[in-house]
Structures are given as structure tokens and as C-alpha cells.
Amino acid sequence: MRRARAALKKNMARTPILVWLRREVRVSDHVALYRAAGLGAPIIPVFVFDPAILQARDTGVRRTAFLLSCLGSLADNLENLGAKLIIRKGPPETELRALAKETGARRIFFNKDVEPYARQRDEKVVAMAREEGIDVEACDDLMIHPPGSIEKVAGGPYTVFTPYSRTWLAKPPHDPLPRPKNLVGVATARGIPLPSLRDLGLEPCDLTPPPGGEEAAQGLLRSFAEKNLRRYESTRNFPRADTTSHLSPHLRFGSISVRTVLATARRIRAEDPSCKKQVNVFISELIWRDFYKQILWEFPHVATGSFRRGYDAIEWENNKDLFQAWCDGRTGYPIVDAAMRQLNQTGWMHNRLRMIVASFLTKDLLISWQWGERYFMKQLFDGDLAANNGGWQWAAGTGTDAQPYFRIFNPSSQAERFDPEGKFIAQYVPEAESLKYPAPIVDHARQRVRALEMYKKARS
């Protein structure tokens, strides 16, 4: 019996392992890759372009272009470690089944996701593996503290951020894992070349994406830690200062892990206690990231409707002309127009501005938050379902906030407070002070009253 077990163990050590990559296109602090590599077996890293995702209405060309840049960098990093990135296109369960048969792989490692479609996709892969007699290990990698690990004393998930944050902070974080020193590749593994957007059935990207990949992400993190992290709380709300990390696209696709980002922040805080408050505010943003992901995991209905289901009854006006003016940055409110033009021209928007334009769309123009959510997902390089949905529902007052509906940002006072010299507005709306600039398309004071009536009607 012992000999048989030893022989089986030795045989398994020679049997290739598929490491299925999805939204963690890196080699450092990659839980599934680290665990698989630790078994000493040959590794087949595989990325599958899923037609269901490519054809989804929220899939953005800009985001896909950034992903392709990240995958090119990942392929180089894997090759340096001794393995080849295998790229396939098709339903994941079909492609992984075929690849396992071609290579003799008997194990699949992957990192869990929280999005509803991803969970359905993963269930299909696990079912396929069970049919084929393939072992599967699903790892926690996406968050600092995965769903189920931060719960109320009485049990169940938190739905309010502040108590969630307290419990999150009381729980020690996991340290980042090192990258494998080397990998053993598999010569029989076959894939397609790194595709272009056109190969994937998408139109060309209208913008050049930011530099993608692990090295670019690590460079951004180092620069942020050296220049801006110590003054984050003091400067983060001022768009012109541009002192945020710009790591969001990399966190979206996992070209850097959130654990690595947190470890850097904690190191800076330990080295310089005088900046504790500044760093803690940055860490709170990482907690918000976890919070919205666990909300999506526990309450998947938020992907298609309001967290507070009663607000699905709101009678939005949904004026298409007003919506187009908002999209184009032609509302007559300079801070709103500057923010939307920043989004359209760069594929990114400062977080303070995201709150301003979301409040304006929902509570000044009386247009559904879902229209804005979809537009953001089309335009943003960092578009992430959980974070985007959570942010929009927060601004619209349909989400987890305890007293949400009467929070209405005044775009004029927001501009005075966060762009007091008008430098950000001048960058994107140079005509704001000229006669060519249009009058406001709605009256804020009047729309505020109408918005409150609209929400109260839905609540009753």
C-alpha cells in the first residue's frame, strides 16, 4: 500500500498542472500559481478569451486593449521562469478540457472571482473537471480578506462599511507570496498567438492604453509610495493635484496584487509614524475595494438592480438628450463637463469627480444610475463590476448606505471646494469662461427638489 501511494505521488509530481489565469496577470504573489509551483510538477499557465465576456455589452475596448498589454508582459515573465503562456479562445470549460487531454494534465488551479457570470463559468469548469477526473483547487487571491472571512458576531455579512472596516482592520492581513524561482514548462501545450483587438472581434481602441504588466504596476506603486502616499489624505480630493496612485487598472486585472499594495502602505506607515493618518485613509480605499466585492458576492442581485430593492421602483425620467449631453461633457456645469471629458479623453476619472458626475446624472438629470454605470464600464480602463456598481449605487442612494437618498452634491460648490482656482476645469473646458460655453441644461436647486420627491415616492 505504501509503495502504491508513493508511486502515485511520484506520478502526480510528473503530471502537468493547468494554472488557469483570469484577472491576476502576474507571477508575484499569485496564490494559485504559487501553490501549483510548490508541488514540483510541470506548469501550464493558460489564459482563455471567453466569447461570452468579449460579446457582453459592458465589455470595453479600452479595457481589453490594456489587458492585451498586460498579457504580453505576463508572457515574458513566465518565459523567464521557464514556462510558456498558453492562450486559447472559446468557452473555458471546452478549452480547458481539450488542453488537459492534449497535455495529460490532471489538476487545475485557479483563483476565485466574485462576479455572478464568473461564478457560473467556474461552476461549469469544476463540473467538467469532475467528469474528466481532474482535481481542482480554487484559491482565494482577489481580496485581502475573502468573502466569509469578515462577518458579524451573530453571523452573516456586513452591509454597512464602517463596522465592516473595523472588523477588517482587526484581522491580520496575509503577507504577499514570493514569485516562483522557476517553473517547468510543457512542450506539448499549444495555444494561439497573443491576439489583436480585431482578432477578438473588437473595434480598434481610440486611446493608447497605459503601460500594462507587472513591472509597470510595480513602478507606479514605488512612485506613489515615494511621492504621494505620505500626503494622500490631504490631497486626494483635488483632481488637479493628481496625487492618487493610478493603480486601479492594474488592480482590476491583477498585474499587481492588493496584498502587495497594502504591504507597501503598511511599511511606509511603520517607517514614518507622522504620516499614519495619511496612509490610513489610503488603506481605507483598499477596504472599500474588499467591501464592494463581498457585497457583490453575498448579494449578486446588485449587478442588475438596486441593493435596496425598493429603489428599483424609482421612476427615472431617462431623458436621452440630457444623457448625451452628460456623456459628451456639455451640461453647462464646468466641473461635470471637465470630468466627463477627462473620462472620454483618457479612459480614467478622478474618484472625487466620479462621485460628482454620478450625483449629477441621477439627482440633477434624474437618469438611472444604471445608464451611467454602463457608460463608465465602456470608457474606463479600470472598469470593475464590483467597484463601479458600488460607487454608482452609493451616489444614487440605492446601495448600502444607511441614509442615502438625500445626499445630493451641488456641482458648483464642489467645484469651488475641490478646484478653487479652476485649473482642472481650464485643462478640459477651456471655453468655460467664454460666451461660447452653454448655459446649464438644468437648474440644480429645482432638480434637487424634484429628486427628493422622486425618491420619497419610491420609498412609499
Side-chain angles (χ1 to χ4, degrees):
M1 181 68 74
R2 289 181 179 176
R3 288 182 179 178
R5 283 199 298 264
L8 178 61
K9 186 175 181 180
K10 185 176 181 181
N11 184 54
M12 287 296 287
R14 296 173 182 162
T15 304
I17 300 174
L18 299 181
V19 178
W20 179 26
L21 308 166
R22 295 99 66 80
R23 52 185 296 167
E24 61 293 306
V25 289
R26 63 180 185 275
V27 295
S28 299
D29 191 29
H30 188 296
V31 177
L33 179 62
Y34 180 83
R35 290 184 182 173
L39 298 176
I43 298 295
I44 307 172
V46 53
F47 185 94
V48 181
F49 281 99
D50 184 346
I53 293 178
L54 292 172
Q55 296 164 11
R57 67 177 183 176
D58 286 346
T59 294
V61 171
R62 294 175 175 181
R63 207 155 47 255
T64 308
F66 180 74
L67 170 61
L68 291 173
S69 176
C70 291
L71 287 173
S73 173
L74 174 64
D76 292 340
N77 289 336
L78 285 167
E79 186 174 350
N80 290 335
L81 293 175
K84 179 183 179 182
L85 175 62
I86 303 303
I87 297 175
R88 295 274 184 133
K89 181 183 177 185
E93 68 275 15
T94 301
E95 296 302 320
L96 293 172
R97 187 198 302 266
L99 189 57
K101 289 182 176 179
E102 293 166 17
T103 61
R106 306 308 301 161
R107 283 176 288 188
I108 299 175
F109 281 66
F110 66 86
N111 293 324
K112 299 175 187 175
D113 203 341
V114 297
E115 297 184 4
Y117 171 74
R119 294 169 69 177
Q120 296 169 10
R121 171 200 62 196
D122 296 352
E123 289 171 1
K124 291 180 181 179
V125 168
V126 170
M128 174 278 294
R130 192 178 296 120
E131 292 174 2
E132 299 292 336
I134 298 172
D135 293 334
V136 174
E137 182 165 343
C139 306
D140 288 313
D141 179 275
L142 183 62
M143 301 159 62
I144 298 291
H145 299 303
S149 64
I150 304 289
E151 292 192 328
K152 301 174 184 177
V153 175
Y158 286 102
T159 58
V160 178
F161 176 75
T162 300
Y164 174 87
S165 176
R166 290 195 202 101
T167 305
W168 191 102
L169 287 166
K171 193 177 180 68
H174 298 288
D175 292 328
L177 298 169
R179 69 170 60 194
K181 293 182 178 179
N182 56 69
L183 300 171
V184 178
V186 178
T188 56
R190 295 286 183 268
I192 62 173
L194 182 66
S196 65
L197 290 170
R198 195 174 297 279
D199 293 333
L200 297 174
L202 301 174
E203 295 297 319
C205 186
D206 60 334
L207 297 176
T208 301
E214 196 164 349
E215 287 69 31
Q218 293 283 357
L220 280 175
L221 179 60
R222 284 193 300 271
S223 177
F224 175 63
E226 292 169 4
K227 298 176 182 178
N228 294 318
L229 179 55
R230 290 175 176 83
R231 56 180 184 142
Y232 181 78
E233 190 271 340
S234 302
T235 62
R236 67 185 179 121
N237 279 309
F238 298 90
R240 180 65 177 177
D242 195 23
T243 56
T244 57
S245 71
H246 289 277
L247 284 168
S248 52
H250 294 279
L251 286 168
R252 163 64 180 85
F253 286 109
S255 44
I256 196 168
S257 79
V258 67
R259 291 175 298 277
T260 297
V261 177
L262 176 61
T264 298
R266 295 176 73 231
R267 175 179 60 79
I268 295 295
R269 186 179 61 185
E271 292 173 355
D272 184 1
S274 68
C275 69
K276 180 179 179 180
K277 179 182 178 183
Q278 306 284 336
V279 176
N280 283 349
V281 172
F282 176 73
I283 290 175
S284 74
E285 296 301 319
L286 302 180
I287 303 175
W288 274 107
R289 179 182 183 273
D290 267 16
F291 178 67
Y292 282 142
K293 290 190 184 305
Q294 73 95 27
I295 288 292
L296 182 59
W297 174 273
E298 299 285 357
F299 306 96
H301 73 272
V302 301
T304 55
S306 301
F307 173 81
R308 298 178 183 273
R309 295 178 189 268
Y311 284 120
D312 286 333
I314 293 174
E315 296 176 0
W316 303 103
E317 293 190 356
N318 290 340
N319 183 299
K320 293 182 180 179
D321 291 335
L322 294 181
F323 179 67
Q324 193 60 54
W326 177 85
C327 293
D328 295 341
R330 296 183 291 102
T331 68
Y333 286 90
I335 193 67
V336 173
D337 293 345
M340 295 306 296
R341 294 184 197 185
Q342 181 185 50
L343 172 63
N344 295 334
Q345 295 172 25
T346 71
W348 183 81
M349 187 191 291
H350 188 280
N351 189 59
R352 168 57 56 175
L353 300 177
R354 297 188 196 204
M355 293 188 283
I356 293 171
V357 302
S359 177
F360 186 83
L361 182 73
T362 55
K363 294 170 180 174
D364 283 72
L365 301 186
L366 311 183
I367 291 173
S368 170
W369 60 269
Q370 291 172 299
W371 287 32
E373 179 193 32
R374 285 194 293 269
Y375 188 76
F376 268 32
M377 287 299 286
K378 280 291 186 181
Q379 301 298 320
L380 286 167
F381 281 116
D382 65 6
D384 173 87
L385 174 56
N388 190 49
N389 179 276
W392 271 97
Q393 295 221 40
W394 181 91
T398 61
T400 60
D401 204 348
Q403 295 180 334
Y405 74 94
F406 47 77
R407 181 200 296 112
I408 300 177
F409 285 3
N410 182 319
S412 299
S413 60
Q414 289 284 310
E416 291 171 3
R417 183 176 177 186
F418 298 114
D419 190 29
E421 297 178 357
K423 291 183 177 180
F424 177 78
I425 290 173
Q427 181 179 354
Y428 288 99
V429 191
E431 76 277 20
E433 298 298 327
S434 73
L435 295 176
K436 295 180 180 179
Y437 190 61
I441 56 176
V442 293
D443 177 80
H444 172 72
R446 180 172 179 271
Q447 295 301 97
R448 182 181 185 280
V449 172
R450 297 184 65 212
L452 291 173
E453 292 173 349
M454 184 178 72
Y455 276 80
K456 287 177 181 176
K457 182 179 180 181
R459 285 168 61 85
S460 64

